[in-house]
Amino acid sequence: MGVSRSSGTTDELGPDEDSGGGPPGCSADPGPPAGEGGITGEPPGSELLAALLDGMDAALCAFDADGTVTHWNREAERVLGWSADEAVGRSGFAGWAVRRADADEVRARLMSAMDAPGRQVHEFALLRKDGGRVLVRTQSAGVRGAGGKPAGVYCAFTEVHARIDLERAIALSEALLEDASWGVVLVDVDLRPTVVNAYASRALGGGRTMLLGRPFGELVIQGVEELEAALHHVLAEGAPSAPADLWVTLRTAEGERRRCWRSGFLRLASPLTEEPVPLGVGWLFRDVTADRLAEQEADRLRFRTNQLHRAARTASECEDPMEAATSLLDFALAGFADHVLVDLVAGGPTEGERLVRAAATPSDGPGPCLPVAGGSIPVRYGPGHPALQAVERTGSVRTSGGAGGSGGAAWATECRWPGDAAHALCTVLRSRGRTLGALTFLRAANRAAFERPDTAYAETVAARVAGAVDLAQVTAGA
């Protein structure tokens, strides 16, 4: 069987009063054979004892009261190279597993555990069968016989570097799950959190225990499909080669929060099985929302600056000032809005003055901004219309209505805008201290509403368009 041999009874490894065992040398009934194929003369359960010893991850040996080796498991054979047949029956480690110069000290320290309470921990340099040396850490404790008398010592030992690796791994896992400056979530195969560290609990908006076992769909409003797809992929295929950004919308007591998490994933498998058995996924993430928003804003600003530069160069080549104005708007529309309308003041700057449509993009689809065919058309804007408000305030007005709902088309129709309009930004056209009209940018419902940075860009475009429109009016008047 290749199992450990014993020069005495099983009581050399632990007290067993029912078996009648005792310290080595005691007369005891050895009992019947340990079943078919068992070791004749061994007490009942000797096969189980041998299997348990050989199945241990730690190397284990035992000594009787005289210091003779009585047990030697397979892990001890792996570490030192000496088989059970070669080790059992030897007196101590002298001359074979320990240098003779160190043998007395090692023997004394090991056997001192026989009379001492609890376990003792030591480090020794042992000899391999091939002559090499290995530093081991031992845990030894005394073994008592049936009468409570010292019967020997058992000693479990592991290579120091392996032990240090284990302790380092445990320390790392504890640090990650307590003090890490990024989120750590352990997810089981059902995609439910089983362990959540402090950072992750704050990011997910709940207590560490409250989050355990809950599906992510209860925490994440948008983006949960992408998160669960990533977890499924890791379980099936393994960890991705690089971290990824996940945008999610969280449900919190204060309302919804849009966050970006830089995420990495690790597949967890049991180290105790021959075939890897998935235990779940380790999900590590950091909140990088501020960084990503700053990057997006920088990219947006860079793009818009380039567009304005290109628009200015194109407009400078136009002979007709109104063509220059529409060219400016074509460049401004890219990535900014779906429609643009140019409404100019009709007549002098009197109270209740009307606006007429001078140029616009097609209402039924994308296209360039062109002057209205056949001349300007009066626009029947009702009182309080955003374009009229922009003219009256000599500023900008942002508004949204019916986005994504059945009322969107009715709202757009009421405002005299294309039917797919859901968000509007109206700003005034002014040149040489005069109000020339209003410039309106429109977005469809599938796009976000206009924000404050959009207003600044629209006003920059409006200033350039107003200069071109003013020149067109002066030229026409001449």
Side-chain angles (χ1 to χ4, degrees):
M1 294 175 55
V3 298
S4 307
R5 299 289 194 266
S6 173
S7 62
T9 66
T10 56
D11 289 317
E12 293 162 338
L13 284 182
D16 186 351
E17 297 182 4
D18 292 338
S19 67
C26 293
S27 59
D29 182 5
E36 185 176 353
I39 303 175
T40 304
E42 290 286 340
S46 62
E47 285 186 326
L48 175 60
L49 174 62
L52 290 174
L53 294 179
D54 281 340
M56 293 178 63
D57 291 331
L60 186 138
C61 62
F63 306 87
D64 63 15
D66 297 325
T68 301
V69 179
T70 60
H71 293 80
W72 191 265
N73 73 348
R74 281 201 176 99
E75 184 65 12
E77 178 179 347
R78 186 196 67 79
V79 173
L80 297 180
W82 301 96
S83 67
D85 291 333
E86 295 170 313
V88 172
R90 290 179 180 263
S91 178
F93 286 154
W96 62 286
V98 173
R99 294 189 310 170
R100 291 192 180 278
D102 301 329
D104 291 341
E105 180 187 359
V106 171
R107 180 188 179 94
R109 293 169 71 180
L110 284 176
M111 298 308 294
S112 66
M114 188 166 56
D115 300 313
R119 293 180 297 174
Q120 294 187 353
V121 178
H122 302 287
E123 288 187 0
F124 301 121
L126 300 183
L127 294 178
R128 299 182 189 272
K129 187 177 181 179
D130 60 11
R133 301 181 70 191
V134 57
L135 185 64
V136 300
R137 179 174 296 177
T138 66
Q139 293 189 36
S140 54
V143 178
R144 301 289 173 178
K149 297 180 180 179
V153 173
Y154 78 83
C155 174
F157 61 91
T158 56
E159 298 176 82
V160 167
H161 72 83
R163 181 73 180 184
I164 292 176
D165 287 345
L166 174 61
E167 293 177 358
R168 194 177 286 125
I170 294 173
L172 174 62
S173 64
E174 290 182 350
L176 286 174
L177 298 176
E178 291 294 337
D179 306 322
S181 58
W182 54 86
V184 179
V185 180
L186 302 187
V187 183
D188 63 17
V189 293
D190 295 324
L191 306 189
R192 294 173 184 256
T194 58
V195 180
V196 180
N197 75 344
Y199 183 105
S201 67
R202 292 192 299 269
L204 290 167
R208 297 177 65 177
T209 56
M210 185 186 73
L211 298 173
L212 303 185
R214 297 177 61 186
F216 285 108
E218 294 183 5
L219 308 170
V220 180
I221 302 174
Q222 297 177 353
V224 65
E225 295 84 0
E226 291 78 3
L227 173 58
E228 292 183 344
L231 296 172
H232 276 302
H233 174 80
V234 174
L235 284 172
E237 304 293 337
S241 57
D245 287 350
L246 290 177
W247 282 93
V248 298
T249 301
L250 300 175
R251 180 185 291 109
T252 66
E254 296 78 19
E256 298 182 359
R257 286 192 305 153
R258 182 74 169 162
R259 313 305 298 167
C260 180
W261 292 333
R262 185 68 170 168
S263 302
F265 301 92
L266 298 170
R267 181 166 61 179
L268 306 180
S270 173
L272 304 179
T273 57
E274 295 182 4
E275 294 294 331
V277 176
L279 297 178
V281 177
W283 173 29
L284 291 80
F285 67 92
R286 280 187 63 85
D287 191 323
V288 293
T289 308
D291 294 339
R292 295 298 176 266
L293 291 177
E295 291 173 3
Q296 290 179 4
E297 182 60 27
D299 291 341
R300 185 182 300 113
L301 180 60
R302 187 181 304 111
F303 174 76
R304 290 178 177 177
T305 301
N306 290 336
Q307 287 296 99
L308 288 175
H309 174 72
R310 295 173 60 195
R313 290 178 59 89
T314 302
S316 67
E317 300 295 329
C318 297
E319 295 183 6
D320 181 4
M322 202 62 193
E323 181 184 356
T326 56
S327 297
L328 284 168
L329 292 174
D330 286 339
F331 280 97
L333 272 179
F336 182 69
D338 298 302
H339 302 283
V340 65
L341 310 174
V342 179
D343 300 322
L344 301 180
V345 174
T350 61
E351 186 70 23
E353 58 195 9
R354 296 179 304 144
L355 293 177
V356 296
R357 180 67 41 82
T361 52
S363 60
D364 55 352
C369 181
L370 298 173
V372 174
S376 300
I377 301 176
V379 185
R380 293 177 297 162
Y381 288 153
H385 190 279
L388 294 177
Q389 292 183 38
V391 170
E392 293 171 0
R393 300 175 184 178
T394 62
S396 299
V397 176
R398 287 180 288 139
T399 183
S400 297
S406 59
W411 176 79
T413 301
E414 181 182 354
C415 291
R416 308 296 176 183
W417 290 332
D420 61 345
H423 312 289
L425 171 56
C426 301
T427 187
V428 67
L429 293 171
R430 286 183 61 81
S431 178
R432 295 187 296 158
R434 298 181 302 117
T435 298
L436 304 181
L439 181 63
T440 302
F441 292 100
L442 300 172
R443 287 178 179 174
N446 61 343
R447 304 184 64 171
F450 289 100
E451 299 177 351
R452 190 176 300 276
D454 299 322
T455 301
Y457 178 67
E459 290 173 350
T460 301
V461 173
R464 300 190 180 195
V465 171
V469 170
D470 190 11
L471 179 59
Q473 293 178 344
V474 170
T475 304

